[in-house]
Amino acid sequence: MASLVQQFAGLICPPISSSRLTERAATFSKPKRAANYVVTAKAVAISDVQTKERHKLKELFEEAYERCRTAPLEGVSFTLEDFHAALDTYDFNSEIGTRVKGTVFMTDNNGAFVDITAKSSAYLPVQEASIHKIKRVEEAGIVPGMREEFVIIGENEADDSLILSLRSIQYELAWERCRQLQAEDAIVKGKVVGGNRGGVVAVVEGLRGFVPFSQISSKSSAEELLDKELPLKFVDVDEEQSRLVLSNRKAMADSQAQLGIGSVVTGTVQSLKPYGAFIDIGGINGLLHVSQISHDRVSDISTVLQPGDTLKVMILSHDRERGRVSLSTKKLEPTPGDMIRNPKLVFEKAEEMARTFRQRIAQAEAMARADMLRFQPESGPLSSGGILGPNISDLPAEGLDLSDVPPADESDGHDTPEEESD
């Protein structure tokens, strides 16, 4: 150990030169000053850029402020009037009775949710969805996506949503339609849905109208008329009093006035009797006698006709005072017996056969008038007292009763007085 210390002690190290220290110090100190200078220069540059940007922004804000103060609408296409119009468009009026446009976006078992561009959605209850009784809104064609006009009838206090109605609008339209039909003196169909001791209730255009028994042409009871359709005319249409009075008697009178002898009408077999079939021709019951069904003898009417059958018949006679109408399919047969063998052909040729028949009747009437003029004096026929009377035809104003008119071809021997008797 001592020898090792002596060895280290004997080592001689050269002295460090001060110039070398100075150079090394200079070497390390010069880069530090350069780095500090670069950092400072960069900071100054960034600060100058930010200052310039702030000045630019300040100038822009000052310019915009001055423009807004002096000319606020300069270069703006949306004018002040447009602004007020937009406010009016979106200024929602939620008062009861106001009509609004809305779009259905969802339905449930009780109604439909409607978007009416208000602060909250609106609801259409199922009982307000139609003038008719329905169980679901879909029955009235109300589905998501449907856009319609509604009327506000209330507000739900629980969630401030509005309650809408289509039924109220439909009622207004129905009353307007009834007033129009009354002005036109039109005949409408009404289904009997109820009754009381004074008359029956019939639905017309969705409204419940009252038909007094005095205004019903038949002697049927309310129970017998239930669920049947009656031809009706308007007597009183009063929306304010919610009163709608109808008449079946007036409608029947007008319908009967339009029944021309020799015309073809479509009817439905109502009932069968041993002597013939009763046919409903637009609310009027006509008799198709068994002798007027076919040229061939019909022993059992049920083999040719059944209740509910629809057929074409020709008007033979019309007794307005007694309310009786006589009908025939026999006169419409292209060949005798077609009504039994091929009734479809009879109905297809009905108008053509009736036209030929009317021509024969017109010729017969002309010949009858000519014969009467040939055998009476020019001043007119003699009365029972031997006094000359006016020159008047003895033919009825409504024309001849066509029940006994023979067919065009009498050689077939089918028409006999016994077969033609009613």
Side-chain angles (χ1 to χ4, degrees):
M1 184 69 179
S3 62
L4 184 61
V5 171
Q6 290 175 356
Q7 290 178 7
F8 275 103
L11 293 176
I12 300 173
C13 295
I16 299 174
S17 171
S18 60
S19 60
R20 290 174 61 188
L21 289 173
T22 304
E23 289 177 0
R24 182 168 293 183
T27 302
F28 285 102
S29 62
K30 284 181 181 179
K32 287 182 180 180
R33 291 194 189 96
N36 290 338
Y37 177 77
V38 171
V39 171
T40 302
K42 288 183 177 180
V44 172
I46 292 173
S47 177
D48 290 343
V49 171
Q50 291 177 345
T51 301
K52 289 180 180 180
E53 288 180 353
R54 289 193 186 96
H55 281 297
K56 288 181 179 179
L57 288 174
K58 182 179 179 182
E59 290 176 358
L60 289 174
F61 279 120
E62 289 177 350
E63 182 182 350
Y65 173 76
E66 185 65 19
R67 188 166 60 251
C68 291
R69 188 179 66 83
T70 57
L73 299 180
E74 182 181 355
V76 178
S77 59
F78 191 75
T79 64
L80 190 60
E81 288 77 11
D82 295 335
F83 177 71
H84 287 302
L87 287 179
D88 293 337
T89 301
Y90 292 96
D91 186 15
F92 189 80
N93 185 2
S94 60
E95 293 183 0
I96 293 178
T98 303
R99 294 196 178 191
V100 294
K101 288 280 189 178
T103 303
V104 176
F105 63 89
M106 187 173 69
T107 63
D108 60 16
N109 293 332
N110 299 317
F113 293 90
V114 185
D115 178 15
I116 54 174
T117 66
K119 61 181 180 181
S120 61
S121 62
Y123 192 71
L124 175 69
V126 64
Q127 62 269 22
E128 293 294 334
S130 175
I131 197 173
H132 304 287
K133 286 187 177 181
I134 57 175
K135 294 183 179 180
R136 294 181 61 89
V137 294
E138 287 82 0
E139 297 177 30
I142 299 173
V143 294
M146 186 197 80
R147 184 166 178 81
E148 190 56 84
E149 184 179 49
F150 304 86
V151 61
I152 300 173
I153 61 171
E155 183 177 356
N156 189 345
E157 297 180 356
D159 56 4
D160 292 334
S161 62
L162 297 174
I163 301 175
L164 306 178
S165 175
L166 280 174
R167 181 169 168 264
S168 300
I169 297 177
Q170 292 173 0
Y171 266 122
E172 292 181 14
L173 294 175
W175 280 108
E176 179 62 30
R177 176 62 177 160
C178 287
R179 284 191 292 269
Q180 180 184 354
L181 291 171
Q182 184 187 31
E184 296 173 356
D185 199 28
I187 297 177
V188 297
K189 288 283 189 178
K191 184 178 181 180
V192 178
V193 296
N196 52 36
R197 291 184 301 176
V200 298
V201 177
V203 176
V204 176
E205 297 292 329
L207 301 177
R208 295 166 65 88
F210 183 67
V211 188
F213 280 126
S214 62
Q215 293 298 317
I216 297 177
S217 60
S218 67
K219 300 299 182 182
S220 304
S221 64
E223 290 76 14
E224 293 172 334
L225 295 173
L226 192 63
D227 293 329
K228 290 186 177 180
E229 283 195 343
L230 299 177
L232 301 167
K233 295 191 78 171
F234 294 93
V235 176
D236 186 16
V237 181
D238 191 340
E239 183 179 1
E240 292 184 1
Q241 300 295 328
S242 190
R243 184 171 61 238
L244 185 64
V245 182
L246 306 161
S247 173
N248 168 248
R249 187 177 295 276
K250 290 178 63 177
M252 295 292 287
D254 283 8
S255 297
Q256 292 177 4
Q258 297 172 2
L259 293 178
I261 294 177
S263 60
V264 176
V265 294
T266 301
T268 304
V269 177
Q270 295 296 307
S271 61
L272 301 179
K273 302 294 181 182
Y275 51 85
F278 284 97
I279 313 296
D280 177 15
I281 49 174
I284 301 174
N285 275 331
L287 176 62
L288 176 61
H289 195 270
V290 62
S291 64
Q292 287 295 330
I293 294 178
S294 175
H295 284 88
D296 287 356
R297 185 178 294 275
V298 178
S299 57
D300 185 1
I301 300 177
S302 62
T303 61
V304 183
L305 301 173
Q306 286 293 325
D309 287 351
T310 300
L311 71 165
K312 289 184 178 181
V313 293
M314 190 175 71
I315 307 295
L316 282 183
S317 64
H318 182 198
D319 187 344
R320 291 182 176 84
E321 292 182 0
R322 301 173 66 184
R324 293 184 178 180
V325 180
S326 298
L327 308 172
S328 175
T329 53
K330 174 181 179 178
K331 307 299 183 185
L332 302 178
E333 288 184 319
T335 57
D338 279 343
M339 190 61 197
I340 299 174
R341 295 185 295 270
N342 191 3
K344 184 178 179 181
L345 177 63
V346 176
F347 303 149
E348 288 177 354
K349 298 285 187 178
E351 283 76 11
E352 179 183 343
M353 296 300 296
R355 185 164 51 251
T356 303
F357 188 79
R358 288 193 297 269
Q359 291 173 357
R360 297 205 320 265
I361 297 306
Q363 293 174 0
E365 288 181 342
M367 292 176 63
R369 288 190 177 93
D371 289 341
M372 292 177 64
L373 291 174
R374 186 186 312 163
F375 293 106
Q376 71 180 22
E378 293 183 0
S379 300
L382 292 174
S383 66
S384 59
I387 302 174
L388 291 175
N391 190 358
I392 300 175
S393 171
D394 290 337
L395 294 176
E398 64 270 17
L400 295 174
D401 186 337
L402 309 184
S403 303
D404 299 328
V405 176
D409 185 2
E410 298 183 359
S411 62
D412 55 15
H414 285 279
D415 279 330
T416 63
E418 290 77 17
E419 287 183 338
E420 284 295 307
S421 63
D422 290 344

